Amino acid sequence: MVDIKNIVVLGAGLMGNGIAQVAIMTGYNVTMVDVKQEFVDKGMASINKGVNRLEEKGLLKAAEVLGRLKTSLDLASAVKDADMVIEAVVERMDVKKQVCKTTMDNGPSHIIYASNTSTMDITEIGEDCGAPERVSGMHFFNPVPLMRCIEVIRGDKTSDETFQITMDVAKSLPCLRGERYIAPVLKSRPGFIVNRLNAPVGIYGHYIRDLAYEKGIPWEQLDADYAVLKAPMLPCVLSDYVGIDTSYYGALYYVEKLSPDFKPGKVITMMFNEKKLGRKTGQGFYDWSEGRPTPDTSIKAGLVDFDIIAAIRMNEGCRLLEEGVVKSYNVIDEANMAGMNTPGPFERGKDRYKELIKKLEEFVALTGKTYLTPCEMFKTGKFLEMA
Ligand code: CAA
Ligand code: NAD
């Protein structure tokens, strides 16, 4: 089995710089690659800040750790002596396929390409690269150093060795907030586990955000509806944190692969077109120029029905079981907790699933969003046998 020592992290953005940071902290030699020096510099600034903060806490020696990091603007030369590429470029299939091919054309014959795509099929990413058996998925959560979950994905052609190496590298990467949780994804289906579970909540989210926009309700008030959940981030803050472009491209991918009901709503489309991408551009639902916003949640919009959200998530979790992406609903709940620091749908909702099915059917009748129709596994309660 290949011994991974040299890793190229492709993309120095939100995810790439976090991945590069945890990789140098593990002891790997890392070259972080982007297309422009300014993107590399921004990524480097974030890594420096993180590593220096850890030195202040006496947890590492910054100079030693940073000494393992190089940067480059040229992927073809950066992969020459690399054992693995972890790719975190923009969420577009054409770009991912192209950089995968550049990796295989220029890297050594053992190089592995692991994509951090949020949604896209690993088989398709690798199909034209000439070595699909060396392509896998390694899906991190944002921010990488603090979120425990990494989903490791097998494409149809991923070899056992590639999958095992990807698992081993994932397990080796430290997490600053608890123990790493590695979720093997048994089938490369859109969104894998955690994102897929929550993707159709986006259908409801687009509906509610467009409604709030039409009624002139401020985003703070919409977020205030969710404050009762005590989740670590309110939904509009989280959307900004993740990046509106990532959600937008993800939704388009789900439209292509799952259903037209995932079509991005008016609000998200407008923000995407106006480049109000959230944290990364300084403006999204909120202004990020002074750091992470803390919305005033004293006035609620009163638009959100949590039973519908619970029903949508449980239904989608059941689809994951039907499609063989995972074998047990506990894995779904655990992965969601490790990836988003919020509970999954099953443990809380399983005892009242019949009531939730009724709610979901009413919502489908109201909106015509037929993708949300309860699936067989949910309707029959068969999922209860898959704990
Ligand atoms: N290196 C070193 N230390 C770091 C660091 C880094 N890169 N980043 C943060 N830290 C440190 C901070 O300095 C801080 O320590 P000090 O207080 O000693 O300075 C500590 O970590 C905690 O940082 P924060 O104060 O920022 O943390 P918080 O308590 O506010 O929690 C959070 C932050 C964990 C992100 C929490 O808000 C949360 O769980 N949010 C939800 C995030 C989420 O859902 N992510 C998943 C999105 S979906 C996704 O990612 C998948 C996809 O494909 C789109
Ligand atoms: P980002 O926009 O912050 O960073 C992407 C970086 O990739 C940019 O700096 C861009 O210049 C660079 N890039 C684009 N094309 C490139 C190329 N051909 N070669 C080298 N660099 C290139 O985006 P991000 O949030 O870091 O997302 C990156 C990937 O990670 C996406 O696939 C996204 O779906 C996935 N992801 C994002 C999150 C999240 O919360 N943001 C979480 C998990 C996974």
Side-chain angles (χ1 to χ4, degrees), residues 13-15 34 39 88-89 91 96 116 118 140 142 242 280:
L14 295 177
M15 298 305 286
D34 208 301
F39 301 143
V89 303
E91 186 71 349
K96 291 193 187 288
N116 175 47
S118 297
F140 294 81
N142 182 13
V242 163
K280 67 173 89 167

Side-chain angles (χ1 to χ4, degrees), residues 79-80 98 100-108 111 128-130:
V79 294
K80 287 261 181 282
Q98 185 203 326
C100 181
K101 181 146 179 30
T102 306
T103 299
M104 295 309 182
D105 286 350
N106 295 279
I111 197 166
D128 298 326
C129 75

Side-chain angles (χ1 to χ4, degrees), residues 75-92:
L75 175 62
S77 61
V79 294
K80 287 261 181 282
D81 61 351
D83 305 309
M84 183 171 200
V85 167
I86 304 179
E87 167 268 303
V89 303
V90 63
E91 186 71 349
R92 278 179 39 194

Side-chain angles (χ1 to χ4, degrees), residues 313-377:
R313 294 173 88 219
M314 198 177 279
N315 189 37
E316 204 62 11
C318 287
R319 285 216 176 91
L320 286 171
L321 295 169
E322 274 182 353
E323 291 175 16
V325 177
V326 284
K327 290 207 169 93
S328 117
Y329 70 67
N330 290 331
V331 172
I332 298 175
D333 277 357
E334 282 168 16
N336 200 78
M337 183 51 93
M340 302 194 72
N341 289 330
T342 49
F346 286 100
E347 199 45 50
R348 282 181 169 188
K350 66 180 187 317
D351 295 337
R352 57 188 201 100
Y353 79 94
K354 288 185 181 154
E355 192 189 321
L356 294 178
I357 287 173
K358 198 160 162 276
K359 272 278 180 140
L360 197 51
E361 285 172 340
E362 283 165 10
F363 183 68
V364 172
L366 173 74
T367 60
K369 302 286 184 193
T370 52
Y371 180 80
L372 301 177
T373 305
C375 67
E376 275 308 296
M377 176 79 74

Side-chain angles (χ1 to χ4, degrees), residues 21 41 43-54 62 66 69:
Q21 182 186 331
D41 291 345
M44 277 301 285
S46 175
I47 296 172
N48 277 320
K49 186 174 167 211
V51 171
N52 286 324
R53 182 79 188 111
L54 293 171
L66 291 168
L69 181 60

Side-chain angles (χ1 to χ4, degrees), residues 21 50 53 57 118 139 141-142 145 176 195 232-233 292 339 341:
Q21 182 186 331
R53 182 79 188 111
K57 293 179 182 174
S118 297
H139 181 224
F141 291 76
N142 182 13
L176 301 175
N195 284 351
M233 283 183 185
R292 193 187 309 164
N341 289 330

